[in-house]
Amino acid sequence: MASANASKLAIYAAIGANLAIAASKFVAAYFTGSSAMISEGIHSVVDTGNGLLLLLGIRKSQKAADASHPFGYGKELYFWSLIVAILIFAIGGGMSFYEGIAHLRHPSPLTDPTWNYVVLGLAALFESIALGLALKQFNATRGTKGVWEAIRASKDPANFAVIFEDSAALLGLVVAALGVYLGHQLNNPYFDGAASLVIGVILSTTATLLAYESKGLLIGEGADPEVLKQIEALAETDPAIRDAKRPLTMHFGPNEVFLALDVNFKQGLSAAEVEQAVERIERNIRAQHPDVQRIFIEARSVSTERDRKNDDAIDTAL
């Protein structure tokens, strides 16, 4: 729950910044006729809507399990993050390409760029604050991993989606500023249209990266390899266990992991001792990894395993 609240804080900050930025960008575009500013305004509107969709995904993912969804609704967040990626690509990137091409085909001279520079400066300030907050929340959980490595390993798209969007926004602002500046300095309106095309490329690339990460989570990603090693070690160090196979895990949400564990018990244990060992293993795993909420242990004793092998040998001989 703490992770969800941290993600919400970053999203709320991004929504507030994007609403203010979108309004100021459209005002600047109206007075200056800048195609790049229109693209940037559309970009901010899309980012605002995406933040609302991520909040919707977080809320839906927290619904309790029921008969139709016995493992809960945790993957709702992964679904809505994929929708966000589609919207960034289709609306943000698509409209930027459209504005850029239209401006290149029918260029119009730019008026006083002062409005553009003021708005771009304010937008850069707000986006930097939002990105800084998102990175602060992200850094608190990534440990010693690099940023890209941590994003690849992250199971919380609500967090890295904001990082992707805010980073793309800052890059877009730089491109828009260059387009406006070069267009006026060289008296060439084509730079403004070209800036819109570059912004479209930035948004499309961002959407592709976000879609790729969301797809992996939606179809089912396992826990971090280090977590798997720790779980396997916890099982094998139990006095009742002879050995354990590699655990099978799947994330049903950022903080909700399903675990299937296949273990072989030592010979001569009673049913009561096996039951106590299973409870002990589950308790130890949850103590070190509270995100592992559902644990299924398939237990086999050495004698049972040998009996099965003997039965297979007899069947083969017959």
Side-chain angles (χ1 to χ4, degrees):
M1 186 63 69
S3 176
N5 290 335
S7 297
K8 284 182 179 180
L9 180 61
I11 295 172
Y12 284 134
I15 289 175
N18 285 321
L19 278 174
I21 293 169
S24 60
K25 286 176 180 176
F26 283 126
V27 169
Y30 176 80
F31 284 106
T32 64
S34 171
S35 172
M37 289 304 297
I38 294 176
S39 297
E40 277 297 299
I42 295 170
H43 178 191
S44 295
V45 171
V46 173
D47 282 353
T48 301
N50 290 341
L52 295 173
L53 288 179
L54 289 174
L55 289 176
L56 175 65
I58 291 175
R59 184 175 66 82
K60 285 183 170 292
S61 69
Q62 294 172 345
K63 289 175 59 179
D66 54 32
S68 60
H69 293 81
F71 292 102
Y73 291 81
K75 288 195 174 185
E76 283 272 8
L77 177 57
Y78 300 155
F79 169 76
W80 288 107
S81 66
L82 182 61
I83 296 299
V84 165
I86 293 172
L87 290 177
I88 293 174
F89 187 89
I91 301 178
M95 289 300 295
S96 294
F97 282 125
Y98 173 81
E99 283 293 329
I101 293 172
H103 203 74
L104 289 175
R105 293 182 62 187
H106 306 288
S108 57
L110 298 175
T111 58
D112 185 2
T114 303
W115 271 93
N116 286 338
Y117 294 136
V118 171
V119 170
L120 289 172
L122 290 174
L125 175 62
F126 291 136
E127 291 288 5
S128 296
I129 293 173
L131 178 59
L133 181 57
L135 286 173
K136 181 181 179 181
Q137 303 292 345
F138 186 71
N139 289 335
T141 59
R142 72 182 177 94
T144 59
K145 296 177 182 177
V147 173
W148 180 244
E149 181 186 2
I151 288 175
R152 294 297 308 274
S154 175
K155 311 302 179 184
D156 187 359
N159 201 338
F160 63 71
V162 175
I163 294 175
F164 280 171
E165 288 183 352
D166 290 344
S167 299
L170 284 173
L171 284 175
L173 290 171
V174 172
V175 172
L178 285 174
V180 172
Y181 176 78
L182 292 175
H184 281 86
Q185 290 297 314
L186 302 177
N187 195 26
N188 187 340
Y190 289 104
F191 279 104
D192 189 53
S196 290
L197 295 179
V198 175
I199 292 170
V201 172
I202 292 172
L203 293 177
S204 298
T205 303
T206 301
T208 302
L209 290 173
L210 180 56
Y212 179 80
E213 291 299 319
S214 299
K215 182 207 71 171
L217 292 167
L218 188 59
I219 64 178
E221 282 190 5
D224 187 85
E226 187 62 31
V227 172
L228 296 180
K229 290 180 182 179
Q230 293 172 7
I231 291 175
E232 188 175 1
L234 281 172
E236 291 187 334
T237 54
D238 189 273
I241 302 300
R242 188 194 71 174
D243 56 54
K245 293 185 178 180
R246 184 172 178 81
L248 301 178
T249 59
M250 180 184 293
H251 269 269
F252 282 89
N255 305 109
E256 185 176 349
V257 179
F258 168 89
L259 167 64
L261 191 60
D262 191 350
V263 299
N264 290 318
F265 284 93
K266 292 179 179 178
Q267 192 173 5
L269 295 177
S270 66
E273 289 173 324
V274 170
E275 183 179 355
Q276 291 172 4
V278 168
E279 292 178 354
R280 185 169 59 247
I281 293 170
E282 290 183 352
R283 184 169 60 250
N284 291 337
I285 290 174
R286 289 194 174 99
Q288 290 196 24
H289 303 283
D291 289 348
V292 181
Q293 298 183 10
R294 292 179 175 84
I295 302 176
F296 290 84
I297 297 180
E298 183 178 354
R300 290 197 297 268
S301 68
V302 176
S303 58
T304 302
E305 190 177 76
R306 286 174 177 170
D307 290 343
R308 186 172 61 253
K309 289 182 178 178
N310 290 335
D311 290 342
D312 291 341
I314 293 173
D315 290 340
T316 302
L318 293 175

